[in-house]
Amino acid sequence: MDSIKRSNAMTVDVEDYFHVSAFDSIISPSDWSSITPRVGDNTHRLIDLFNENNVKATFFTLGWVAKCCPDLIKRIVDEGHELASHGSNHRRHTSMSEAEIVKDIKDSKDILEQISGKPVLGYRAPSFSINESNEYVFDILVDLGFVYSSSTYPIEHDLYGVPNWPRFANKRKEGILEIPIPTILKNGKNKGIGGGGYFRLFPYWLSKKRIEAYLSQTKQPYNFYFHPWEIDPGQPRVAKAPLKSKLRHYVNLHAMEKKLKYLMADYQWDTMFKVYEREIKECSK
Ligand SMILES: [Zn+2]
């Protein structure tokens, strides 16, 4: 396949502002039901944006969100986007037992499939929390019927990442395709370029320069990920959060929507399943 004409994968991790790992020491899951959710409205706005720009996207969605917003789940599939799993309750795999991980992933797949009426084939671990300590998660994913995962980030980072893991889509020995978050090589180190945080921080021209460098360096599809709360400048501020978390979470929220429109216009996008369909099928042979 000609890599230049190949689409890139547009992905959204569907969770609310109070689910993010950076705030998990401040807001506990027992508080979630008493907070007014914003994820439904924000994700509906995102679907509008994608539809207006002829972009199909993959929505890695929490089971928690499916319970709170079943109409959103239906809309994602009815309008031709891909529904995938982000687990049930945004717990990092590094903080759960094997049995808890199985239950968290299975429950999310079950509720997403019940509401959508479609098989859920893709998975993204919360905070890319698959690492050397829990590679058995890939076996769990195969057992549960997933055909691909996008759960690893080969960078050095304080919260996640395994720097020496593969940078590109690879068949795991367990028989599942793993599609890592994209990186560029700079001074011998992998630099992450896949996500919303740096995209919000940097001016668009710089993000575009980095994406161009990735595309010409690697000849691989580019995968972008972000969250519905990143287009929501009006979200309540979590005052007690650590300064670093606040900087990461709140920088340039107001500018995200405009940058997304540039990103959608400058590249060709599709769902993760469609972009990697050939590799996924080769994996399951
Ligand atoms: Zn997440």
Side-chain angles (χ1 to χ4, degrees):
M1 191 183 289
D2 186 340
S3 60
I4 293 164
K5 288 188 191 134
R6 202 167 169 180
S7 288
N8 304 289
M10 177 63 76
T11 74
V12 184
D13 293 357
V14 185
E15 63 200 46
D16 220 321
Y17 71 95
F18 48 85
H19 294 132
V20 301
S21 298
F23 294 155
D24 62 10
S25 62
I26 317 287
I27 305 171
S28 92
S30 59
D31 299 329
W32 292 351
S33 60
S34 60
I35 304 173
T36 305
R38 299 172 74 90
V39 63
D41 288 351
N42 288 333
T43 311
H44 277 297
R45 268 184 55 220
L46 272 182
I47 299 174
D48 292 342
L49 264 180
F50 289 148
N51 291 352
E52 284 159 20
N53 291 275
N54 291 316
V55 167
K56 292 283 185 268
T58 296
F59 292 81
F60 291 100
T61 306
L62 286 182
W64 191 95
V65 173
K67 282 184 199 157
C68 103
C69 316
D71 57 326
L72 177 68
I73 304 305
K74 288 203 185 78
R75 187 175 173 209
I76 289 170
V77 294
D78 285 351
E79 299 190 7
H81 301 281
E82 182 189 7
L83 182 67
S85 165
H86 195 36
S88 289
N89 292 307
H90 214 267
R91 287 185 67 193
R92 279 180 263 205
H93 294 327
T94 42
S95 67
M96 286 193 282
S97 69
E98 187 171 349
E100 287 173 324
I101 293 171
V102 172
K103 182 170 167 32
D104 187 273
I105 300 174
K106 183 176 186 309
D107 287 353
S108 75
K109 190 171 195 281
D110 286 349
I111 190 164
L112 292 168
E113 290 183 343
Q114 270 167 28
I115 296 172
S116 69
K118 297 228 163 141
V120 166
L121 302 173
Y123 177 74
R124 174 169 288 153
S127 300
F128 313 111
S129 55
I130 301 183
N131 60 27
E132 294 105 329
S133 73
N134 56 21
E135 289 184 66
Y136 58 78
V137 175
F138 289 113
D139 285 313
I140 296 171
L141 293 174
V142 172
D143 287 348
L144 292 174
F146 290 96
V147 297
Y148 79 88
S149 152
S150 179
S151 301
T152 59
Y153 207 165
I155 53 166
E156 278 176 35
H157 189 278
D158 55 347
L159 298 177
Y160 45 71
V162 184
N164 61 352
W165 271 11
R167 290 174 62 208
F168 309 121
N170 58 98
K171 181 180 179 174
R172 298 278 318 183
K173 67 178 180 341
E174 296 83 355
I176 187 168
L177 188 75
E178 169 59 26
I179 304 162
I181 303 302
T183 50
I184 42 173
L185 257 180
K186 211 171 173 190
N187 303 325
K189 286 197 169 183
N190 296 341
K191 298 285 175 201
I193 60 160
Y198 281 111
F199 188 78
R200 274 184 291 123
L201 178 66
F202 292 156
Y204 179 72
W205 64 264
L206 182 53
S207 293
K208 184 169 176 179
K209 195 173 156 195
R210 285 155 55 96
I211 295 169
E212 294 293 336
Y214 171 87
L215 292 171
S216 64
Q217 206 179 74
T218 70
K219 315 285 186 227
Q220 297 283 323
Y222 173 73
N223 312 314
F224 183 69
Y225 83 90
F226 70 109
H227 309 85
W229 52 261
E230 293 186 79
I231 57 155
D232 182 11
Q235 67 190 273
R237 297 301 190 257
V238 180
K240 288 184 197 148
L243 183 62
K244 193 173 178 183
S245 304
K246 283 199 270 196
L247 286 173
R248 277 183 183 160
H249 192 94
Y250 298 123
V251 68
N252 290 344
L253 291 172
H254 63 281
M256 186 66 172
E257 194 167 324
K258 196 166 80 184
K259 289 179 184 175
L260 275 176
K261 285 181 182 163
Y262 294 145
L263 187 69
M264 286 190 285
D266 281 346
Y267 300 96
Q268 192 176 316
W269 300 98
D270 210 333
T271 66
M272 198 153 240
F273 184 87
K274 279 279 177 205
V275 172
Y276 290 94
E277 193 166 9
R278 181 171 50 100
E279 287 94 331
I280 289 169
K281 286 186 172 155
E282 277 167 11
C283 259
S284 54
K285 267 180 196 164

